[in-house]
Amino acid sequence: MEEHKHDHDKETEMIAIMSRSGMRITDQRRTLARIFSDTDAFLSPKDVYDLMRDKYPGVSFDTVYRNLRMLSEMGALEQFYFMEGGLKFKGSCISHHHHHLICLNCEKTLSFEYCPMDQQLKLPGSFKIVSHRFEVYGICDECQQTGEG
Amino acid sequence: MEEHKHDHDKETEMIAIMSRSGMRITDQRRTLARIFSDTDAFLSPKDVYDLMRDKYPGVSFDTVYRNLRMLSEMGALEQFYFMEGGLKFKGSCISHHHHHLICLNCEKTLSFEYCPMDQQLKLPGSFKIVSHRFEVYGICDECQQTGEG
DNA sequence: GTTATTGCAAATGATTTGCATTGAT
DNA sequence: ATCAATGCAAATCATTTGCAATAAC
């Protein structure tokens, strides 16, 4: 059930972000960019570590963590905390604002354009709105078919 | 900046949930019900532990954890993972479906009725929708005034 | 050559578990 | 009296840190 619709633009963009932020482009980071441009799913640090080791048997867990954190901080990755699965990462879609459908089974994501904040929400009190979060969870086509949901 | 709009109904409801689920009503749990009916804010396990200790100097951290987890599982508490602050809990509002404004400063919450899923969202693919999440983050009235945001 | 990045090992922090004791029913 | 809940200590798991060796610029 591996995803391999490699998104070359995303890979290039990720490396560009690193460069722009003054990071050095190491082979590990190149591999990270490759991993995240190869999938739309959320990956745990362990997932990433395992994928990295395919190419770099000697890679260390802390380097994976360090890089995941740095890439998140500079916006190349999105973080998400799954109540059951802990913290996971996916390549971020910097290009435009949108929200996600998230498959509870395979954790792949599908983005969509509708944003609730575009409505005239009348919210109580007078909060100064800073950000919002809207996600829809379910079982994707594929997982429904393979009965894995 | 303590909240003390004690919600007696919520306290009663929480204890009722425990009873219904076959839990024994210990003093610690009574105190938990009290703590969560005294505030609309999210509390970390450490916050709860500290509040508990006011009444029970001898209470242990693991008991707090155990009870927070059990109460979440039986629906008396809602969990939320703050990217910066980790896992926190608040008394859940079982009565009706709604979403929250969450103050990024004091973590108090304000509920509102608008739900994006009531719109005719046209979502891509054919996900089987299971659940959703919508939260608005900002700075509450109070924190704006005290300049803490 | 200079400075960031890596791998290692060790430290930290959060959460969980086993077990004898205590307390609610 | 019975069985679940507690407190303690130790175990586990995730994440972070210090530092010398290494690699990118």
Side-chain angles (χ1 to χ4, degrees):
Chain A
M1 205 56 53
E2 287 297 319
E3 277 303 280
H4 282 300
K5 49 172 162 185
H6 178 62
D7 181 338
H8 188 270
D9 286 351
K10 189 187 266 184
E11 182 176 13
T12 307
E13 170 78 21
M14 282 187 70
I15 290 176
I17 292 178
M18 297 190 218
S19 248
R20 238 180 280 141
S21 313
M23 288 175 85
R24 292 179 178 178
I25 309 305
T26 63
D27 282 341
Q28 286 91 327
R29 285 175 184 164
R30 231 181 265 285
T31 307
L32 275 179
R34 167 61 62 120
I35 287 171
F36 282 106
S37 57
D38 266 350
T39 181
D40 281 333
F42 277 94
L43 302 174
S44 69
K46 176 107 181 24
D47 293 335
V48 176
Y49 176 61
D50 289 340
L51 289 166
M52 291 276 286
R53 270 203 307 197
D54 293 348
K55 307 224 167 181
Y56 298 92
V59 76
S60 66
F61 224 130
D62 52 282
T63 298
V64 172
Y65 268 106
R66 249 185 307 241
N67 281 322
L68 288 175
R69 188 143 55 90
M70 296 184 81
L71 291 177
S72 295
E73 277 165 10
M74 63 187 54
L77 294 178
E78 289 177 20
Q79 292 182 309
F80 187 87
Y81 188 90
F82 288 85
M83 267 325 177
E84 342 67 40
L87 194 58
K88 308 207 171 183
F89 300 81
K90 81 183 265 306
S92 70
C93 341
I94 21 278
S95 40
H96 68 299
H97 180 74
H98 60 251
H99 296 282
H100 292 110
L101 282 162
I102 299 174
C103 177
L104 292 165
N105 184 239
C106 68
E107 290 174 359
K108 275 205 292 288
T109 62
L110 217 50
S111 52
F112 60 89
E113 300 307 315
Y114 174 87
C115 176
M117 300 308 278
D118 293 342
Q119 314 302 84
Q120 261 71 37
L121 302 196
K122 41 180 195 338
L123 300 170
S126 44
F127 260 64
K128 181 163 60 177
I129 294 177
V130 173
S131 63
H132 64 284
R133 172 173 182 160
F134 177 41
E135 285 128 18
V136 179
Y137 303 91
I139 308 296
C140 72
D141 295 7
E142 220 175 296
C143 288
Q144 284 179 57
Q145 280 160 27
T146 54
E148 292 185 53
Chain B
M1 207 56 57
E2 288 296 321
E3 278 303 280
H4 282 301
K5 48 174 161 185
H6 179 63
D7 181 338
H8 188 270
D9 287 350
K10 189 189 266 184
E11 182 177 12
T12 308
E13 171 80 21
M14 282 187 67
I15 291 177
I17 293 179
M18 298 190 216
S19 246
R20 239 180 279 140
S21 312
M23 288 174 86
R24 290 180 180 179
I25 309 305
T26 63
D27 281 341
Q28 285 91 329
R29 287 177 181 161
R30 232 180 264 285
T31 307
L32 275 178
R34 168 62 62 116
I35 287 171
F36 283 105
S37 57
D38 266 349
T39 181
D40 280 333
F42 278 93
L43 302 174
S44 69
K46 175 108 182 22
D47 294 336
V48 177
Y49 176 60
D50 289 340
L51 289 166
M52 291 277 286
R53 270 203 306 197
D54 292 348
K55 306 223 169 183
Y56 298 93
V59 75
S60 66
F61 224 130
D62 53 283
T63 298
V64 172
Y65 268 106
R66 251 186 304 241
N67 280 323
L68 289 176
R69 188 143 55 88
M70 296 184 82
L71 290 177
S72 295
E73 279 165 8
M74 63 186 56
L77 294 178
E78 290 176 20
Q79 290 181 310
F80 188 85
Y81 188 90
F82 288 85
M83 267 325 178
E84 342 67 41
L87 193 59
K88 308 207 172 183
F89 300 80
K90 82 182 264 304
S92 70
C93 341
I94 21 279
S95 40
H96 68 300
H97 180 74
H98 59 252
H99 297 281
H100 291 110
L101 282 161
I102 299 174
C103 177
L104 292 166
N105 184 240
C106 67
E107 291 173 358
K108 276 205 290 288
T109 62
L110 217 49
S111 53
F112 59 90
E113 301 305 317
Y114 175 88
C115 176
M117 301 308 279
D118 293 343
Q119 314 302 84
Q120 261 71 38
L121 303 198
K122 42 182 193 337
L123 300 171
S126 42
F127 259 64
K128 180 163 60 176
I129 294 176
V130 172
S131 63
H132 64 283
R133 173 171 180 161
F134 177 41
E135 284 128 17
V136 180
Y137 303 91
I139 308 295
C140 72
D141 295 7
E142 221 174 296
C143 288
Q144 284 178 57
Q145 280 161 27
T146 54
E148 293 185 51

